[in-house]
Amino acid sequence: MPAHSEAASDNSNISSLHDQALAAYRAGRHDTVHALAAQILTLDGEHTGAMHLEGLLALATGQPEVARHWLERAIQLGPEANLYNTLYAIQLRLGDHDGAVDSLRKG
């Protein structure tokens, strides 16, 4: 198979995995979200959507420091408004009000 076809196949697979992970997150299936996000990150170590999901999952399971790590990493790669909005919520949970205001302004 030509390299171009393999890359297109990988992108399609990653997109499908991300869609499945989003659906699992919405359904509260945390183990599935984590497994799918890990699989995505194995295929593409810079996939900000998977990092965002890992951060949301960490926040939902009471691990705000882990969540902050994931969101800060994702923002370094692709600073998008939705990432800053999630980081804002994490920073509020951690009591970092100045950081939260800064994230809100950036998002």
Side-chain angles (χ1 to χ4, degrees):
M1 180 182 299
H4 176 72
S5 295
E6 288 176 25
S9 177
D10 284 349
N11 288 338
S12 175
N13 188 37
I14 290 170
S15 179
S16 175
L17 290 170
H18 189 252
D19 290 345
Q20 291 173 48
L22 285 171
Y25 179 78
R26 289 184 195 111
R29 296 189 332 262
H30 294 166
D31 289 342
T32 301
V33 175
H34 179 67
L36 289 167
Q39 191 174 354
I40 293 166
L41 290 168
T42 297
L43 295 169
D44 177 0
E46 295 186 350
H47 194 280
T48 59
M51 291 178 198
H52 190 198
L53 282 170
E54 287 282 19
L56 288 169
L57 183 58
L59 185 61
T61 58
Q63 302 173 70
E65 288 290 348
V66 173
R68 178 169 36 192
H69 162 79
W70 281 112
L71 268 294
E72 287 175 347
R73 186 171 162 201
I75 287 168
Q76 286 177 344
L77 295 169
E80 300 172 15
N82 64 329
L83 299 176
Y84 280 109
N85 292 339
T86 302
L87 182 58
Y88 163 79
I90 293 164
Q91 289 165 321
L92 282 180
R93 177 86 54 93
L94 291 168
D96 178 7
H97 300 286
D98 291 338
V101 169
D102 187 51
S103 292
L104 194 58
R105 287 183 180 136
K106 290 178 180 176

